[in-house]
Amino acid sequence: MVRGGGKAAATDGKGPARSRERFLQGEAVEVGVRPPISHSWQRCRALGLSPDQPGLPFRDDFEHDARIIRAAVPVLDRLQSRFAGSRMNISVADANGTVLLRRFGDASLARSLPAFQRVPGFVFAERYAGTNGIGLALAERQLVQVYGAEHFAERAQGNACRALPVRDPISGRIEGVLCLGYPRSAEDPALATVIRRAAHAIERRLLGQSSERERALLRAYLDTGAETAAGPHHRVGLSEPALGVRPCDRAILMQKAVELISWAQRAAVHVTLSDGRRITLVSRPTTTATGVQGFVIEAVLPGPAPHEPLLVPWPAEEARRPVLVPADFAHDTAASVEPAASSAPASVVQATSVVLAVPPSAAVPVSVAPATVPGTAAPGLVPLRAETRGTDASAGGPGGTADGDHGTAGGPGWTAGGYGSGARPGVAAGGRRGSPPPAEPPTEHSARGLVLVGEPHVGRYALAARRRLELLTEASTRIGTTLDVRRTAEELAETAVPRLADYVTIDLPEAVLRGEEAADPFTDLYRTVVHGIADDCPFHPVGKRVDYGPATPHLRCLSGGQAVLEPDLRATMGWLAHDPPRTEVMLAHVHSLIAVPLVARGVVLGVAAFYRGQHLAPFDDDDRSLVQELAGRAALSIDNARRYTRERTMVLTLQRSLLPQGLPDQDAVDVAHRYLPAESDVGGDWYDVIPLSGTRVGLLVGDVVGHGMLSAATMGRLRTAARSFAELDFSPDEVLTHLDNLVGRLDREAPAAGDTGIFGATCLYAVYDPTTQQCTMARAGHPPPALVRPDGTVTFPDLPAGPPLGLGGLPFEAVDIALPEDSRLVLYTDGLIEDRNRDVDLVLERLRGALAHPDRTPEEICETLLDTVAPVHPRDDIALLVARTHALPEHRIATWDLPADPSLVSEVRSSAMRRLADWGLEEAGFAAELVLSELVTNAIRHGSGPVRVRLLHGRTLICEVSDRSNTAPHLRRAATTDEGGRGLFLVAQLARSWGTRYIRQGKVIWAECGLDAA
């Protein structure tokens, strides 16, 4: 029923009063109001509450002797004494918000309240009273403070309060709420410490109640098990020397004992110790005088004296009751338990690794049956059914056996792990009998130790806690195995399903997937992972942008930084109002939710949502703590992957910027190239195509030792230097020599180089001349290239390997190889062929087979090699360069040989002009004539004969003059008074470029002119 309540005075405008007024008018109040208060206001609006509603529900049917009341009364009495004479009111409510106890510092304060609020029973849950201390503490599940106008109801705005949930120390469930209410003017920060200590005192008293129940169970066990009809037991404590149990074995026994108690059934199981001995753990029920029911776990070592009972006998009425054993025990101990042997007593029958303890009157062969026993089998227990074969009523009577063997099992009791007089052999799994018992029983007396006493529900809590720890341990090995953001998020979901949740969704900002920090992680969310036990739950698909409302648990957890638990999604109005059509369908699949933010190192990475379906119990606070811990660990792994992605992207960007951004224009070869970074890191592989004088082209491939930013930066320096050396028209071996000197210098200049050196590289440089169809190559520790002849023949030229760059002191050798037109030259780095899991010779044969197709273009060859030869998961970078050769037609080459005679210069000019006319290059004749005249004159005057003149008609017109002298001309600017020295200056002005290259005998001076020059 609902009773009316008073109405407090209006707010004085302090605190959040202005924000509350704006909120009630429908405006957004995201700034200036604490997130828990803002979220509570949103929920109150979704519930349709009114700030001036007149009353609260009242219940008079609550339990007046509840555990929380018995534990809280002394604590509240001490608080009342502490705050005597003040206007403090102290309340304790249950987990539903119903006030159970109330104390006042000043008795007159009670008279100012409505009559029904002076006694226990009125409900302060948020769905009835709006934002208040008790309701908000239950919603936030932590210490809260509500001040003045933060209260949703106007009647409470003259007060302030602090409230803290009180939990059962064993189960972790919220048993109630402790609330301190006071006038706003009495606010004191020390109250936070007071309420924490008081709540902790109540929780200690709750634990004491549970301890008293366990002590009562222990007394009942000792009283009923002190003696039996056959005499006293031989009982020792588990930690006493008689059992000789090591600490590691004791931990295993305690773990199994907790499992036995949690199943709440009669059962027994063998546990093999580290020294090879086997202990039988036996579970038996016990009940206190006050009706508290629990279970006792005893440890029994083999070797009793004849007829000595080790366990308390079962009552006669339980003799034929089916005995249930945990199904998972067989899996847990199968590796350490042997089949039943001759030492098995008549009252112990073994099925796989499970030992069934049965009373002598029921000592018949048994086997594991899939059938269930209504009303007896708990989840995870396997009932055992008796299979009687030829039972004779006179075959032993009480204590006899079912197959005709006579004897006793130790009197009215039953034994486990020893011999009884005349006991028949045990029956192993599958019904096969063991070997007969020895003629004489052992003389060693068995020992029995008390392992654990407890209630089944407490055992289930302990078992659940252990499984949570196991889940966290497993998560530490399963989450973060890769440095991929998306895969790490998937590992979080796979770890949680199905052991913790039925479904998991993870939403990350797109920026996080790229390795960056999200500018607005509250709105820029995309569905990244959807994982569950089935595919029929209508979650947003992967890749879809997800927008959450302000009252949804997902956004609340992001703004608050803590996991938000919603045990019942049907009561979560903000979640239901977010997307009504979808949520109504989802409620048919899920009923409980924990939303947790993924935050690492202060960076918000996204949000994860854990859902449970109808077949699992709702999430509780222990689950929330577990999810928070799980998400925290996963967030660190995701952040590590994000940072790695960012750094890898930076290094890749740097490396790609240092690689050629495009192919130069040249007619010597058709070129295709590929660069594939390693999966784990970025290396220092590079390639280059360098146009050279005389229509030649340089092809360069290199690999810097190591990975990371340093290798990428070193690669950029080496590529720049190699290009510079090549453009100076050095031969391949000379280029490698200069690079070797450079790497050695970098090694010596590095601060951490020491004596061993940290830099190193390999390189292959080839120069192809289309006028002669010759290719000159040299390599420095690099794999040899592959040559594909026009007929499809594939060879790997036997080039001198040369030392890797940086070693110094050893020469490099260049080799000339004839390359007919339409040949393919394939240059690559070792990442293409080398892998720790592959044989290099086999890979080279595969490479040979992939190249034996002369009709393929360079682009097709690149794709084929990456698809068929490259490793699936490359551990090293791969640089690939494929060139198809062309030849400059002979009719586009003109050559004249002449002696060093100045009178022949005019003849050469005339012949050159006629050839230009034949080529249709009359417009370029003037510039070419002046350039050619100057170069030939200089060669005759300053060089040594004979002189060779060559014109090449390609993309440009190239004029070359060679002689046998090694002296190089120098460009200088002549003064106005100088009579000469202007020849090369004119050449530089008329030509696009000019230079000198050295040959085996002499030098070549060349100048390149445009075809449209005039």
Side-chain angles (χ1 to χ4, degrees):
M1 60 181 177
V2 178
R3 298 182 178 178
K7 183 177 180 180
T11 177
D12 58 4
K14 295 181 179 180
R18 185 177 182 84
S19 296
R20 178 177 176 275
E21 180 180 353
R22 291 172 49 206
F23 173 78
L24 294 177
Q25 293 175 357
E27 300 181 22
V29 291
E30 298 177 358
V31 180
V33 181
R34 291 183 293 130
I37 302 299
S38 174
H39 297 157
S40 179
W41 288 357
Q42 296 283 354
R43 293 193 296 269
C44 293
R45 171 185 286 173
L47 290 166
L49 297 180
S50 172
D52 55 356
Q53 59 185 13
L56 298 172
F58 184 84
R59 295 181 51 197
D60 54 7
D61 58 346
F62 63 89
E63 184 181 354
H64 292 267
D65 192 33
R67 296 177 63 234
I68 185 68
I69 294 179
R70 298 198 308 271
V73 165
V75 179
L76 262 63
D77 290 342
R78 290 196 298 269
L79 288 175
Q80 184 179 25
S81 175
R82 176 189 178 100
F83 294 109
S86 69
R87 298 184 61 81
M88 179 73 68
N89 68 82
I90 308 145
S91 304
V92 169
D94 64 14
N96 298 316
T98 303
V99 175
L100 306 177
L101 295 171
R102 195 156 208 189
R103 298 287 190 273
F104 300 96
D106 186 352
S108 63
L109 182 61
R111 293 192 292 272
S112 65
L113 296 175
F116 85 100
Q117 291 191 17
R118 303 173 191 171
V119 295
F122 61 92
V123 182
F124 260 138
E126 189 180 67
R127 63 180 179 273
Y128 302 119
T131 307
N132 69 91
I134 293 175
L136 190 59
L138 289 173
E140 295 292 327
R141 314 179 83 83
Q142 60 184 344
L143 177 63
V144 299
Q145 177 189 12
V146 184
Y147 179 89
E150 290 181 334
H151 290 88
F152 189 77
E154 293 183 358
R155 63 172 174 270
Q157 293 182 15
N159 303 319
C161 64
R162 292 178 184 264
L164 178 65
V166 177
R167 303 176 184 274
D168 185 333
I170 295 178
S171 66
R173 296 179 307 183
I174 293 179
E175 293 288 331
V177 177
L178 175 62
C179 182
L180 301 181
Y182 45 88
R184 289 184 300 175
S185 59
E187 172 61 39
D188 186 354
L191 291 177
T193 303
V194 173
I195 194 171
R196 289 184 187 276
R197 291 179 177 176
H200 186 55
I202 298 175
E203 291 172 349
R204 286 201 306 270
R205 292 182 60 81
L206 288 172
L207 181 61
Q209 294 178 16
S210 299
S211 301
E212 178 58 34
R213 293 164 65 95
E214 291 183 353
R215 287 193 292 269
L217 287 171
L218 178 60
R219 286 194 297 269
Y221 162 71
L222 295 176
D223 292 342
T224 59
E227 292 183 356
T228 66
H233 293 293
H234 177 58
R235 180 187 294 114
V236 297
L238 181 60
S239 59
E240 294 182 24
L243 287 179
V245 179
R246 300 175 182 176
C248 59
D249 295 327
R250 179 179 176 85
I252 297 175
L253 292 175
M254 292 295 294
Q255 173 181 324
K256 289 295 180 182
V258 171
E259 293 180 4
L260 282 171
I261 289 179
S262 67
W263 288 114
Q265 298 285 348
R266 288 180 179 273
V269 64
H270 280 326
V271 179
T272 302
L273 304 183
S274 58
D275 58 3
R277 292 184 302 161
R278 218 168 35 167
I279 282 184
T280 302
L281 292 183
V282 181
S283 170
R284 51 163 294 176
T286 186
T287 305
T288 68
T290 58
V292 177
Q293 296 182 348
F295 278 80
V296 175
I297 308 300
E298 296 173 319
V300 181
L301 278 173
H307 307 291
E308 182 181 359
L310 297 183
L311 299 180
V312 178
W314 282 349
E317 62 272 13
E318 297 184 0
R320 293 289 180 179
R321 179 180 301 173
V323 180
L324 304 177
V325 292
D328 57 348
F329 282 144
H331 173 72
D332 292 342
T333 58
S336 60
V337 178
E338 302 173 355
S342 59
S343 60
S347 57
V348 177
V349 182
Q350 189 179 40
T352 312
S353 64
V354 177
V355 177
L356 171 66
V358 297
S361 58
V364 294
V366 298
S367 61
V368 177
T372 60
V373 181
T376 60
L381 296 182
V382 179
L384 302 181
R385 66 172 182 264
E387 297 178 355
T388 304
R389 302 182 182 89
T391 304
D392 187 352
S394 63
T401 61
D403 53 359
D405 293 336
H406 296 273
T408 65
W414 56 276
T415 61
Y419 298 96
S421 177
R424 73 171 179 85
V427 180
R432 293 183 299 175
R433 299 180 57 184
S435 58
E440 296 294 334
T443 58
E444 180 188 5
H445 290 269
S446 71
R448 185 178 75 178
L450 175 63
V451 180
L452 200 60
V453 177
E455 297 177 77
H457 72 281
V458 178
R460 283 190 287 270
Y461 293 141
L463 186 61
R466 179 169 64 84
R467 288 175 176 170
R468 290 187 178 102
L469 290 176
E470 291 174 352
L471 180 61
L472 288 176
T473 302
E474 180 182 345
S476 64
T477 59
R478 289 190 61 181
I479 301 177
T481 59
T482 67
L483 288 173
D484 180 80
V485 174
R486 191 182 302 274
R487 179 57 193 153
T488 305
E490 292 173 351
E491 290 171 342
L492 168 60
E494 292 169 358
T495 302
V497 176
R499 296 173 61 180
L500 178 61
D502 287 336
Y503 300 93
V504 174
T505 65
I506 300 176
D507 305 323
L508 303 177
E510 190 176 15
V512 172
L513 297 174
R514 298 195 304 265
E516 305 169 3
E517 293 186 14
D520 187 3
F522 298 91
T523 58
D524 185 28
L525 292 172
Y526 289 83
R527 181 58 46 85
T528 306
V529 175
V530 177
H531 184 67
I533 59 176
D535 298 329
D536 57 348
C537 201
F539 293 105
H540 289 294
V542 172
K544 180 178 177 58
R545 184 186 178 99
V546 182
D547 294 318
Y548 293 112
T552 56
H554 308 76
L555 202 59
R556 285 164 49 202
C557 77
L558 283 174
S559 58
Q562 298 293 325
V564 173
L565 168 62
E566 295 293 351
D568 185 4
L569 285 176
R570 292 189 178 275
T572 309
M573 299 303 298
W575 186 78
L576 292 174
H578 170 60
D579 191 355
R582 183 178 296 273
T583 53
E584 284 299 329
V585 178
M586 289 181 60
L587 286 176
H589 298 79
V590 296
H591 64 86
S592 187
L593 162 69
I594 296 178
V596 58
L598 300 174
V599 182
R601 302 181 181 95
V603 178
V604 178
L605 303 173
V607 59
F610 296 74
Y611 297 87
R612 277 188 178 174
Q614 306 299 332
H615 67 287
L616 290 179
F619 286 116
D620 56 22
D621 285 286
D622 284 344
D623 296 319
R624 184 179 69 161
S625 300
L626 175 62
V627 167
Q628 185 85 37
E629 177 70 18
L630 197 63
R633 298 187 181 191
L636 283 175
S637 297
I638 292 175
D639 191 51
N640 290 338
R642 180 190 66 84
R643 290 168 177 258
Y644 169 77
T645 301
R646 180 187 61 186
E647 294 178 1
R648 176 179 169 82
T649 302
M650 292 172 56
V651 176
L652 274 175
T653 302
L654 170 64
Q655 187 179 44
R656 293 188 184 279
S657 68
L658 297 175
L659 291 173
Q661 303 302 304
L663 296 178
D665 294 332
Q666 46 82 35
D667 294 327
V669 292
D670 292 334
V671 179
H673 57 86
R674 293 291 186 275
Y675 170 75
L676 184 65
E679 283 191 349
S680 59
D681 207 346
V682 176
D685 292 13
W686 88 92
Y687 61 89
D688 209 346
V689 179
I690 309 169
L692 301 176
S693 63
T695 68
R696 299 172 306 140
V697 64
L699 303 175
L700 186 68
V701 172
D703 182 4
V704 175
V705 175
H707 296 85
M709 185 76 74
L710 179 61
S711 295
T714 304
M715 176 272 290
R717 301 170 74 175
L718 291 184
R719 174 181 171 258
T720 302
R723 189 178 186 92
S724 299
F725 296 145
E727 289 177 342
L728 290 175
D729 277 323
F730 291 144
S731 62
D733 53 328
E734 290 177 314
V735 169
L736 295 182
T737 300
H738 288 295
L739 288 177
D740 181 61
N741 295 333
L742 174 63
V743 172
R745 185 167 63 254
L746 293 177
D747 198 2
R748 292 189 298 271
E749 293 174 354
D755 297 329
T756 59
I758 61 171
F759 291 114
T762 65
C763 186
L764 170 63
Y765 181 41
V767 176
Y768 174 69
D769 189 345
T771 63
T772 61
Q773 301 179 37
Q774 291 286 323
C775 184
T776 304
M777 305 182 196
R779 62 183 178 128
H782 201 83
L787 299 182
V788 184
R789 302 290 179 177
D791 59 357
T793 304
V794 180
T795 60
F796 297 94
D798 187 16
L799 301 180
L805 300 177
L807 293 183
L810 297 176
F812 299 97
E813 299 182 40
V815 174
D816 292 333
I817 298 176
L819 282 184
E821 186 177 10
D822 206 30
S823 298
R824 273 73 169 172
L825 179 62
V826 182
L827 286 70
Y828 51 88
T829 56
D830 56 3
L832 179 68
I833 60 173
E834 293 182 5
D835 187 85
R836 65 181 64 178
N837 299 321
R838 302 194 303 172
D839 183 83
V840 175
D841 293 334
L842 295 179
V843 176
L844 289 176
E845 286 302 317
R846 186 183 302 176
L847 176 63
R848 185 190 303 273
L851 294 176
H853 298 276
D855 56 331
R856 288 177 178 170
T857 65
E859 288 288 342
E860 293 173 341
I861 293 176
C862 287
E863 292 296 331
T864 301
L865 295 184
L866 292 183
D867 292 341
T868 61
V869 180
V872 177
H873 302 286
R875 299 176 180 270
D876 195 6
D877 292 17
I878 297 175
L880 182 61
L881 191 64
V882 179
R884 181 173 61 186
T885 61
H886 296 295
L888 189 65
E890 293 185 1
H891 67 272
R892 292 198 171 199
I893 304 174
T895 305
W896 298 274
D897 293 319
L898 61 154
D901 186 356
S903 63
L904 299 177
V905 173
S906 59
E907 251 181 65
V908 171
R909 285 201 305 264
S910 301
S911 300
M913 291 305 100
R914 287 193 296 269
R915 180 56 61 93
L916 292 179
D918 295 338
W919 290 342
L921 301 179
E922 291 86 351
E923 295 182 358
F926 176 74
E929 185 179 8
L930 289 179
V931 168
L932 193 60
S933 177
E934 182 62 30
L935 295 181
V936 172
T937 301
N938 283 343
I940 294 175
R941 178 179 298 179
H942 303 290
S944 59
V947 175
R948 168 170 288 190
V949 178
R950 189 170 70 160
L951 294 181
L952 303 176
H953 178 199
R955 288 178 177 269
T956 58
L957 178 63
I958 300 175
C959 303
E960 294 183 347
V961 177
S962 61
D963 62 72
R964 294 181 179 275
S965 171
N966 291 324
T967 59
H970 297 282
L971 175 66
R972 68 184 183 90
R973 297 181 181 272
T976 56
T977 57
D978 291 341
E979 295 183 359
R982 297 177 177 84
L984 287 181
F985 180 78
L986 292 176
V987 171
Q989 296 298 316
L990 294 173
R992 290 185 176 182
S993 59
W994 72 280
T996 303
R997 71 172 182 268
Y998 293 93
I999 54 178
R1000 289 184 175 87
Q1001 294 180 348
K1003 65 178 182 300
V1004 176
I1005 303 176
W1006 58 270
E1008 182 178 339
C1009 302
L1011 299 181
D1012 56 349

